[in-house]
Structures are given as C-alpha cells and as structure tokens.
Amino acid sequence: MTVEITSHEELRELLGAPMPRALDKERPVLHPRDRQWLAASPFCLVATAGADGTCDVSPKGDPPGFTLVLDDRTIAIPERPGNRRADGYRNILDNPHVGLIFLIPGRTDTLRINGRARLVRDAPWFGDMVVKGHRPVLAVVVEIEQIFYHCAKAFLRSQLWQPETWRPDALPSRARLVKELEAPGESLAALERHYGPDYVKSIYA
C-alpha cells in the first residue's frame, strides 16, 4: 500500500525538527568565503518553474569563476550557445524565482543560492565574461534572497567523486542515444563524427 504525505504537519512529524544551525545558516548577502567559492566553481545547476508550475533544471558550466559577482547581493551567470530550447529562460520570464547549486569538483559540500532572476542581453560587464573570445549570448542576473552551504551527505552516499565507482559505459555513447531516441533518421557514423573528439571545438561557437 502506498502511503502519501499530504500535509506540512505529517512531513514534520516524519522528519523531525531541523537543527537550529540548519535554520540559522541562511544569509541574504555574500560573505567573502562565498565569493571564494564562486571563484573556484566551474559548474552550477539552475532550477526554475513556469507560471503553471512546470519545472526545469539546467546545468551551466565554464572555467572556474564564470559566475560574476556584481555586488554583495547580485550575481550574473553567462549563457553560451546551446540547444536553444530556453526552457529555464522562458520560465524566468514568467516566474523569476530560481534556485542555484554551485559545485566544486572533489568537494562534497555545495553552495546554494535562491533568489529572483532577470535576463540581460547586454551590459558593460559582459566583457568580464568573455571566454575564448566569445561574449555571452545573454546573462541571468540573480538578486540573492538566501545563500547557504549544503552538507556533504548526498555526495558521500553517492560516492560521486570517487573514480572507482564511475561507470561511463553503463549506457551507450551519446551518439548512439541520439540515434535511438532523438534522430533515428540520421546515420550513426555522422553522429559519431559530430560527438567525437572535435565536439569540444564547437562548444563556444
């Protein structure tokens, strides 16, 4: 039998009360250590929700420090050429609330930022986000409402950073997945060339 949780009271009864430290760790402004973390982080996840509740989580990555700190309450994340679906960006236009998780490879804790986002197509500081000669397509500017560090338990349980647990061949290659699920009419040879060694040359084009 499936037993659902349908109220805040049920949830709290099941999980128990959070430790005071977990409640008190939220901050509304960047600490110098937060700035150091952002300067070291090459990767973040951006969670959004549309006006109808439709959700999206999109990965963003660039060289460490790609997230630009504009002031103690504002950061900017550059957008590079991608698949042009713009699911998260369309959500932001309808609902500005976003949640961000910043990772540092090898670290089992993470930095979380929640706030309100807007899309900017150009600004004087775009020049500070140029990578390999390429300016961002746009930037997500986030006004920080909450910032805090998240504990290591999920990474420890998953053993995410332990190479001996990695199984990149657990599924077919990217080219084979595309052939099977996205573009059955394209030849596998062409897809393998596209996603082959030269693929990295196109990531900023």
Side-chain angles (χ1 to χ4, degrees):
M1 179 178 68
T2 300
V3 181
E4 291 189 24
I5 298 169
T6 58
S7 70
H8 292 273
E9 292 75 18
E10 286 181 90
L11 179 63
R12 184 54 61 204
E13 181 181 1
L14 177 66
L15 297 182
M19 294 185 297
R21 185 173 63 189
L23 293 175
D24 296 340
K25 67 181 179 179
E26 296 180 11
R27 292 169 279 109
V29 298
L30 291 165
H31 184 276
R33 292 299 189 194
D34 305 328
R35 289 173 174 260
Q36 287 182 306
W37 188 284
L38 294 174
S41 175
F43 184 85
C44 78
L45 298 167
V46 180
T48 61
D52 62 354
T54 303
C55 295
D56 180 74
V57 179
S58 181
K60 303 297 177 188
D62 250 336
F66 75 101
T67 297
L68 185 66
V69 176
L70 299 178
D71 57 49
D72 285 345
R73 293 177 178 266
T74 317
I75 60 174
I77 300 171
E79 168 68 1
R80 306 298 178 185
N83 60 20
R84 303 176 185 172
R85 284 182 56 99
D87 299 293
Y89 296 147
R90 288 186 286 111
N91 284 347
I92 288 171
L93 292 175
D94 294 334
N95 173 9
H97 296 281
V98 298
L100 315 175
I101 297 181
F102 288 90
L103 282 71
I104 295 177
R107 291 283 302 225
T108 53
D109 47 347
T110 56
L111 180 66
R112 292 176 54 177
I113 295 178
N114 298 318
R116 297 174 66 89
R118 53 195 171 90
L119 305 181
V120 175
R121 65 183 301 168
D122 200 6
W125 37 263
F126 268 45
D128 296 327
M129 296 193 292
V130 171
V131 175
K132 296 185 177 181
H134 294 276
R135 288 169 64 87
V137 176
L138 58 84
V140 182
V141 175
V142 179
E143 297 174 9
I144 297 169
E145 295 176 336
Q146 295 175 307
I147 182 169
F148 55 94
Y149 289 94
H150 196 101
C151 74
K153 291 179 180 177
F155 286 81
L156 295 173
R157 291 171 181 144
S158 66
Q159 300 181 307
L160 185 67
W161 302 126
Q162 297 184 27
E164 65 271 20
T165 70
W166 296 350
R167 294 184 56 213
D169 56 350
L171 287 170
S173 69
R174 174 62 181 153
R176 290 183 178 275
L177 288 175
V178 172
K179 171 69 174 175
E180 180 180 348
L181 301 173
E182 301 171 20
E186 296 190 34
S187 76
L188 180 59
L191 291 169
E192 287 177 335
R193 284 194 300 273
H194 177 74
Y195 291 105
D198 289 340
Y199 184 67
V200 69
K201 298 178 181 178
S202 69
I203 58 177
Y204 288 101

